[in-house]
Amino acid sequence: MASASSSALTPGGTGAPSGTTKGSGRHQVVVIGSGFGGLFGTKALKRADVDVTMIAKTSHHLFQPLLYQVATGILSQGEIAPPTREILARQKNAKVLLGEVTAIDLENRTVTSEVLGRVTTTSYDSLIVAAGAGQSYFGNDQFAEFAPGMKSIDDALELRGRIFGAFELAEIGAERGDPIEGLLTFVVVGAGPTGVELAGQIAELARRTLRKDFTNISAEHARVVLVDAAPQVLPPFGEKLGRSAQKSLEEMGVEVILGAMVTDVDERGLEMKFKDGTVQRIEAITKIWAAGVQASELGKTLSEQTGAALDRAGRIAVNPDLTLPGHPEVFVVGDMISLDNLPGVAQVAIQGAKHAAKEIEHRLEGKPSKGPFKYFDKGSMATISRFNAVAMVGRLRLTGFIAWMMWLAVHIFYLTGFKNRVTAVLHWFVSFLGSDRSERTTTTQQIFARTALQRLPGGPNALVSPPGSSEERRRELEEKAAEEARLADARDRPVSAG
Ligand SMILES: Cc1cc2nc3c(=O)[nH]c(=O)nc-3n(C[C@H](O)[C@H](O)[C@H](O)COP(=O)(O)OP(=O)(O)OC[C@H]3O[C@@H](n4cnc5c(N)ncnc54)[C@H](O)[C@@H]3O)c2cc1C
């Protein structure tokens, strides 16, 4: 059991908790998630008179915007996913708890989390929920096995294995005289920033890095296809930047197919349907899904307990100050929220989490409420290839090298940890000034392990004994042995005549 402070948060004039605490004497804040919202929320509470418990299902903080560079061999996973424990080691009032949150009880103010059969219940006085979003296959979850998404380190490493592995298999296939077109075709579904960045990187990988590495195949002739149902690439960036990005991609040899809805995905390819009803199939062993998002399942439980509406992407409608209806002590931030059409970007999560942390601090110090959350849009950007990006800052629309330099500066600034920044910059030198990639290592397990685990009834939990079960088993065996000894003893004893 984790800490169980039972503070009574008496609503003040604004209906906000007053922060009176019993038990440990400190106000207990639980933060769910170690992503942008979770980490920045926890850090923002550094000087507050509270104890913070950050509960997350991974032990790292993931910088999702650079996942595509792990998938294409530019960066290592460690550079974009430093351990949360290390980041928070000097924050005395924060502790990290590994576990997937399976339940939130708003009435009793507890969070239940679980890792490999170990269940922990943590009490809170204030709660910040920042569990983010996962990939959405729009009701076709069966596509996931053949077209992994790009949401986690597992995804990126699996994709790295599939992308580099496809070139290797094509090399063998060419030697044997097998057809290799499908192996050398890479399809990215979704022409948002992630899809555009991935397609651009796979094209650069094939045309620059792998160009001279193979004997039997010409890697530079690999076919890279970017598919989207929308009529333009990068819809949130507007028509002009979308057109510019599409032109750059096409100049790099990426085939852009718009207005095409992916209707089927299998091991060997995918099928698309166009508005006029025509259906087209592309034979491609490597497919990547970068098309949709679905907010964390935790939104559902919060909605059921508060009546707050969920939108189609599972995002929960929060009050303007990011709290839940009837629960001023619970804040929801980042990709999980539906408020004023805020986009699912890192800054919404960071600023929302800081807002929530400040509000908690204000309440504890008896200061006036901060009121509604105000988002400051710092702009958006997407890279297309080395030295080429598009950026939107206020009314400014930038393309090419200037936008790419902005992208570089912002990513160096926001990458967590000094050593990560240094090594990432070194790797960027290797890849952008030269043509090499430092992180091309792949393993068979990276490619197949997750699918194998998913097929296993019970998933990874089936592979470990639940806690305490070995002692239980030992006791069972001892009891059985004692019983057998007793029976043997009774058999050996002479029968008495009474
Ligand atoms: C490939 C990719 C590229 C992107 N590029 C950009 C970009 O260039 N610029 C930009 O601004 N944004 C970008 N984004 C979006 C941005 O990363 C998100 O908006 C941001 O991460 C949202 O932060 P969050 O805290 O809400 O969620 P996340 O950062 O996703 O964090 C969620 C956290 O919750 C944890 N979690 C989830 N469920 C549970 C549970 N049940 N129990 C315990 N822990 C749980 C997760 O492990 C994780 O730690 C990108 C996203 C992706 C996937």
Side-chain angles (χ1 to χ4, degrees), residues 32-38 55-58 60-68 99-102 130-133 150-151 193-194 197 296 298 333-336 343-347 349 381 411:
I32 302 177
S34 62
F36 284 105
I55 309 175
K57 64 180 177 184
T58 64
H60 54 256
H61 161 69
L62 177 58
F63 193 92
Q64 287 177 344
L66 289 174
L67 272 172
Y68 76 97
E100 174 157 8
V101 172
T102 50
M150 270 285 280
K151 281 283 176 191
T194 304
E197 288 173 334
S296 157
L298 293 179
V333 302
D335 281 4
M336 284 185 71
V345 295
Q347 277 300 327
M381 50 192 70
H411 283 74

Coordinates of all heavy atoms in Angstrom, one line a residue, residues 32-38 55-58 60-68 99-102 130-133 150-151 193-194 197 296 298 333-336 343-347 349 381 411, ligand 1:
I32 N -1.0 11.3 -12.6 CA -1.0 10.1 -13.5 C -0.4 10.4 -14.8 O -0.8 11.3 -15.5 CB -2.5 9.6 -13.7 CG1 -3.1 9.3 -12.3 CG2 -2.5 8.3 -14.6 CD1 -4.6 8.8 -12.4
G33 N 0.7 9.7 -15.1 CA 1.4 9.9 -16.4 C 2.7 10.6 -16.2 O 2.9 11.4 -15.4
S34 N 3.7 10.1 -17.0 CA 5.1 10.7 -17.0 C 5.4 11.4 -18.3 O 6.6 11.5 -18.7 CB 6.1 9.7 -16.6 OG 6.1 8.7 -17.6
G35 N 4.4 11.7 -19.1 CA 4.6 12.4 -20.4 C 4.8 13.9 -20.1 O 5.2 14.3 -19.1
F36 N 4.4 14.7 -21.1 CA 4.6 16.1 -21.0 C 3.8 16.7 -19.9 O 4.3 17.5 -19.1 CB 4.2 16.8 -22.3 CG 5.3 16.6 -23.4 CD1 5.1 15.7 -24.4 CD2 6.5 17.3 -23.3 CE1 6.1 15.6 -25.4 CE2 7.5 17.1 -24.2 CZ 7.3 16.3 -25.3
G37 N 2.5 16.3 -19.8 CA 1.7 16.8 -18.7 C 2.1 16.3 -17.3 O 2.3 17.1 -16.4
G38 N 2.3 15.0 -17.2 CA 2.7 14.5 -15.9 C 4.1 15.0 -15.4 O 4.2 15.4 -14.3
I55 N 2.5 8.5 -10.9 CA 2.2 7.0 -11.2 C 2.2 7.0 -12.8 O 1.4 7.7 -13.4 CB 0.9 6.5 -10.7 CG1 0.8 6.8 -9.2 CG2 0.7 5.0 -10.9 CD1 -0.5 6.5 -8.5
A56 N 3.0 6.1 -13.3 CA 3.0 6.0 -14.8 C 3.3 4.5 -15.2 O 4.0 3.8 -14.4 CB 4.0 6.9 -15.4
K57 N 2.8 4.1 -16.3 CA 3.0 2.7 -16.7 C 4.4 2.5 -17.4 O 4.7 1.3 -17.7 CB 1.9 2.3 -17.6 CG 1.7 3.0 -19.0 CD 0.6 2.4 -19.7 CE 0.4 3.1 -21.0 NZ -0.8 2.7 -21.7
T58 N 5.1 3.6 -17.6 CA 6.5 3.3 -18.1 C 7.4 4.1 -17.1 O 7.0 5.0 -16.4 CB 6.8 3.9 -19.5 OG1 6.6 5.4 -19.4 CG2 5.8 3.4 -20.5
H60 N 9.9 5.8 -17.9 CA 10.6 6.9 -18.6 C 9.7 8.0 -19.0 O 8.4 7.8 -19.0 CB 11.3 6.4 -19.9 CG 10.4 5.7 -20.8 ND1 10.5 4.3 -21.0 CD2 9.5 6.1 -21.7 CE1 9.6 3.9 -21.9 NE2 9.0 5.0 -22.3
H61 N 10.2 9.2 -19.2 CA 9.5 10.3 -19.8 C 9.7 10.2 -21.3 O 10.9 10.2 -21.7 CB 10.0 11.6 -19.3 CG 9.6 12.8 -20.1 ND1 8.3 13.2 -20.2 CD2 10.3 13.6 -20.9 CE1 8.2 14.2 -21.0 NE2 9.4 14.5 -21.5
L62 N 8.7 10.2 -22.1 CA 8.9 10.0 -23.6 C 8.7 11.3 -24.3 O 7.6 11.9 -24.2 CB 7.9 8.9 -24.1 CG 8.0 8.7 -25.6 CD1 9.3 8.2 -26.0 CD2 6.9 7.6 -26.0
F63 N 9.7 11.7 -25.1 CA 9.6 12.8 -26.0 C 9.1 12.3 -27.3 O 9.8 12.0 -28.2 CB 11.0 13.4 -26.1 CG 11.0 14.8 -26.7 CD1 10.9 16.0 -25.9 CD2 11.0 15.0 -28.1 CE1 10.9 17.2 -26.5 CE2 11.0 16.3 -28.7 CZ 11.0 17.4 -27.9
Q64 N 7.7 12.2 -27.4 CA 7.1 11.6 -28.6 C 7.5 12.3 -29.9 O 7.6 11.6 -30.9 CB 5.6 11.6 -28.4 CG 5.1 10.6 -27.4 CD 3.6 10.7 -27.2 OE1 2.9 11.6 -27.6 NE2 3.1 9.7 -26.5
P65 N 7.6 13.6 -30.0 CA 7.9 14.2 -31.3 C 9.1 13.7 -32.0 O 9.3 13.8 -33.2 CB 8.1 15.7 -30.9 CG 7.2 15.9 -29.7 CD 7.4 14.6 -28.9
L66 N 10.0 13.0 -31.3 CA 11.2 12.5 -31.9 C 11.2 10.9 -32.1 O 12.2 10.3 -32.5 CB 12.5 12.9 -31.2 CG 12.8 14.4 -31.4 CD1 14.0 14.8 -30.5 CD2 13.1 14.7 -32.8
L67 N 10.1 10.3 -31.9 CA 10.0 8.9 -32.0 C 10.3 8.4 -33.4 O 11.0 7.4 -33.6 CB 8.5 8.4 -31.7 CG 8.2 8.1 -30.3 CD1 6.7 7.8 -30.2 CD2 8.9 6.8 -29.8
Y68 N 10.0 9.2 -34.4 CA 10.2 8.8 -35.8 C 11.7 8.8 -36.1 O 12.2 8.0 -36.9 CB 9.5 9.8 -36.8 CG 10.2 11.2 -36.9 CD1 11.1 11.4 -38.0 CD2 10.0 12.2 -36.0 CE1 11.7 12.6 -38.1 CE2 10.6 13.4 -36.2 CZ 11.5 13.6 -37.2 OH 12.1 14.8 -37.3
G99 N 3.4 1.7 -12.6 CA 2.2 1.0 -12.6 C 1.2 1.5 -13.6 O 1.2 2.7 -13.8
E100 N 0.3 0.7 -14.1 CA -0.7 1.1 -15.0 C -2.0 1.4 -14.1 O -2.4 0.5 -13.3 CB -1.0 0.0 -16.0 CG -2.2 0.4 -16.8 CD -2.2 -0.3 -18.2 OE1 -1.4 -1.2 -18.4 OE2 -3.1 0.0 -19.0
V101 N -2.5 2.6 -14.2 CA -3.6 2.9 -13.4 C -4.8 2.2 -14.0 O -5.2 2.3 -15.2 CB -3.9 4.5 -13.4 CG1 -5.2 4.8 -12.7 CG2 -2.7 5.1 -12.7
T102 N -5.5 1.4 -13.1 CA -6.6 0.6 -13.6 C -8.0 1.2 -13.1 O -9.0 0.8 -13.6 CB -6.5 -0.8 -13.2 OG1 -6.2 -0.8 -11.8 CG2 -5.4 -1.5 -13.9
A130 N -2.9 12.9 -16.5 CA -2.3 13.3 -17.7 C -1.8 12.0 -18.4 O -0.7 11.7 -18.6 CB -1.1 14.2 -17.5
A131 N -2.8 11.1 -18.7 CA -2.5 9.8 -19.3 C -2.5 9.8 -20.8 O -2.3 8.7 -21.4 CB -3.5 8.8 -18.8
G132 N -2.6 10.9 -21.4 CA -2.4 11.1 -22.9 C -3.4 10.3 -23.8 O -4.5 10.0 -23.4
A133 N -2.9 9.9 -24.9 CA -3.7 9.2 -25.9 C -2.9 8.1 -26.6 O -1.7 8.2 -26.6 CB -4.2 10.3 -27.0
M150 N 2.8 4.9 -33.9 CA 4.0 5.5 -33.4 C 3.7 6.3 -32.1 O 3.7 7.5 -32.1 CB 4.4 6.5 -34.5 CG 5.3 6.0 -35.5 SD 7.0 5.8 -34.9 CE 7.5 7.4 -35.1
K151 N 3.6 5.5 -31.1 CA 3.2 6.1 -29.8 C 4.2 5.8 -28.7 O 4.1 6.5 -27.7 CB 1.8 5.7 -29.4 CG 0.7 6.4 -30.1 CD 0.5 7.8 -29.6 CE -0.5 8.6 -30.3 NZ -0.5 10.0 -29.9
P193 N 1.7 15.7 -39.1 CA 3.2 15.9 -38.9 C 3.9 14.6 -38.7 O 5.0 14.4 -39.3 CB 3.2 16.7 -37.6 CG 1.9 17.4 -37.5 CD 0.9 16.5 -38.2
T194 N 3.4 13.6 -38.0 CA 4.1 12.4 -37.8 C 4.3 11.6 -39.1 O 5.4 11.1 -39.4 CB 3.4 11.5 -36.8 OG1 3.2 12.2 -35.6 CG2 4.1 10.2 -36.5
E197 N 6.8 13.4 -41.4 CA 8.2 13.3 -40.9 C 8.7 11.9 -41.2 O 9.9 11.7 -41.6 CB 8.3 13.6 -39.4 CG 8.1 15.1 -39.2 CD 8.0 15.6 -37.7 OE1 7.5 14.8 -36.9 OE2 8.3 16.7 -37.4
S296 N -6.8 8.2 -23.6 CA -6.7 7.1 -22.6 C -8.1 6.7 -22.1 O -9.0 7.5 -21.9 CB -5.9 7.6 -21.4 OG -6.1 6.9 -20.3
L298 N -8.9 6.0 -19.3 CA -9.2 6.6 -18.0 C -10.2 7.7 -18.1 O -11.0 8.0 -17.2 CB -7.9 7.1 -17.3 CG -6.9 6.1 -16.9 CD1 -5.7 6.7 -16.3 CD2 -7.5 5.0 -16.0
V333 N -5.4 17.1 -17.9 CA -4.6 17.9 -18.8 C -4.1 17.2 -20.1 O -4.2 15.9 -20.1 CB -3.4 18.5 -18.1 CG1 -3.8 19.3 -16.9 CG2 -2.4 17.5 -17.7
G334 N -3.7 17.9 -21.1 CA -3.1 17.3 -22.2 C -4.0 16.7 -23.2 O -5.1 17.1 -23.4
D335 N -3.5 15.6 -23.8 CA -4.2 14.9 -24.9 C -5.6 14.3 -24.5 O -6.4 14.0 -25.4 CB -3.4 13.8 -25.5 CG -2.3 14.2 -26.4 OD1 -2.1 15.5 -26.5 OD2 -1.5 13.4 -27.0
M336 N -5.8 14.2 -23.2 CA -7.1 13.6 -22.7 C -8.3 14.6 -22.8 O -9.4 14.2 -22.6 CB -6.9 13.1 -21.3 CG -6.1 11.8 -21.2 SD -6.2 11.3 -19.4 CE -7.8 10.8 -19.2
P343 N -5.6 21.8 -29.5 CA -5.0 20.7 -30.2 C -4.2 19.7 -29.3 O -3.9 20.0 -28.2 CB -4.0 21.3 -31.2 CG -3.6 22.6 -30.5 CD -4.8 23.0 -29.7
G344 N -4.0 18.5 -29.8 CA -3.3 17.5 -29.0 C -1.8 17.7 -29.2 O -1.1 16.9 -30.0
V345 N -1.2 18.7 -28.6 CA 0.2 19.0 -28.8 C 0.9 19.2 -27.4 O 0.2 19.4 -26.4 CB 0.5 20.3 -29.6 CG1 0.0 20.1 -31.1 CG2 -0.2 21.5 -29.0
A346 N 2.2 19.1 -27.4 CA 2.9 19.1 -26.2 C 2.7 20.3 -25.3 O 2.5 20.2 -24.1 CB 4.4 18.9 -26.5
Q347 N 2.6 21.5 -26.0 CA 2.4 22.7 -25.2 C 1.1 22.8 -24.5 O 1.0 23.4 -23.4 CB 2.6 23.9 -26.2 CG 4.0 24.3 -26.4 CD 4.7 24.7 -25.1 OE1 4.2 25.2 -24.2 NE2 6.0 24.4 -25.1
A349 N -0.4 20.3 -23.1 CA -0.2 19.4 -21.9 C 0.7 20.1 -20.9 O 0.4 20.2 -19.7 CB 0.5 18.1 -22.4
M381 N 5.4 23.1 -35.9 CA 6.4 22.9 -37.0 C 6.5 21.4 -37.3 O 6.1 20.5 -36.4 CB 7.7 23.4 -36.6 CG 8.2 23.1 -35.3 SD 9.7 24.0 -34.8 CE 9.0 25.6 -34.6
H411 N 13.7 21.8 -30.5 CA 13.8 20.4 -30.0 C 15.0 20.2 -29.1 O 15.0 19.5 -28.1 CB 13.9 19.4 -31.2 CG 12.6 19.2 -31.8 ND1 11.9 20.1 -32.5 CD2 11.7 18.1 -31.7 CE1 10.7 19.7 -32.9 NE2 10.6 18.5 -32.3
Ligands
LIG1 C1 4.8 10.5 -33.0 C2 4.3 11.7 -32.4 C3 4.9 13.0 -32.8 C4 4.4 14.1 -32.1 N1 5.0 15.3 -32.5 C5 4.6 16.5 -31.9 C6 5.3 17.7 -32.2 O1 6.1 17.8 -33.1 N2 4.9 18.8 -31.5 C7 4.0 18.7 -30.5 O2 3.7 19.8 -29.9 N3 3.3 17.6 -30.2 C8 3.6 16.5 -30.9 N4 3.0 15.3 -30.5 C9 2.0 15.3 -29.5 C10 2.5 15.3 -28.1 O3 3.5 14.4 -28.0 C11 1.3 15.1 -27.2 O4 0.4 16.1 -27.4 C12 1.8 15.1 -25.7 O5 2.7 14.1 -25.5 C13 0.6 15.1 -24.8 O6 1.1 15.0 -23.5 P1 0.3 14.2 -22.4 O7 1.0 14.4 -21.1 O8 -1.2 14.5 -22.5 O9 0.4 12.7 -22.8 P2 1.7 11.8 -23.0 O10 2.9 12.7 -23.2 O11 1.3 10.8 -24.1 O12 1.9 11.1 -21.6 C14 1.0 10.1 -21.2 C15 1.6 9.4 -20.0 O13 0.6 8.7 -19.3 C16 1.1 7.3 -19.2 N5 -0.1 6.5 -19.1 C17 -1.1 6.3 -20.0 N6 -2.0 5.5 -19.5 C18 -1.7 5.2 -18.3 C19 -2.3 4.4 -17.2 N7 -3.5 3.8 -17.4 N8 -1.6 4.3 -16.1 C20 -0.5 4.9 -15.9 N9 0.1 5.7 -16.8 C21 -0.5 5.8 -18.0 C22 2.0 7.1 -20.3 O14 2.9 6.0 -20.1 C23 2.7 8.4 -20.4 O15 3.7 8.5 -19.5 C24 3.4 14.1 -31.1 C25 2.9 12.9 -30.8 C26 3.4 11.7 -31.4 C27 2.8 10.4 -30.9

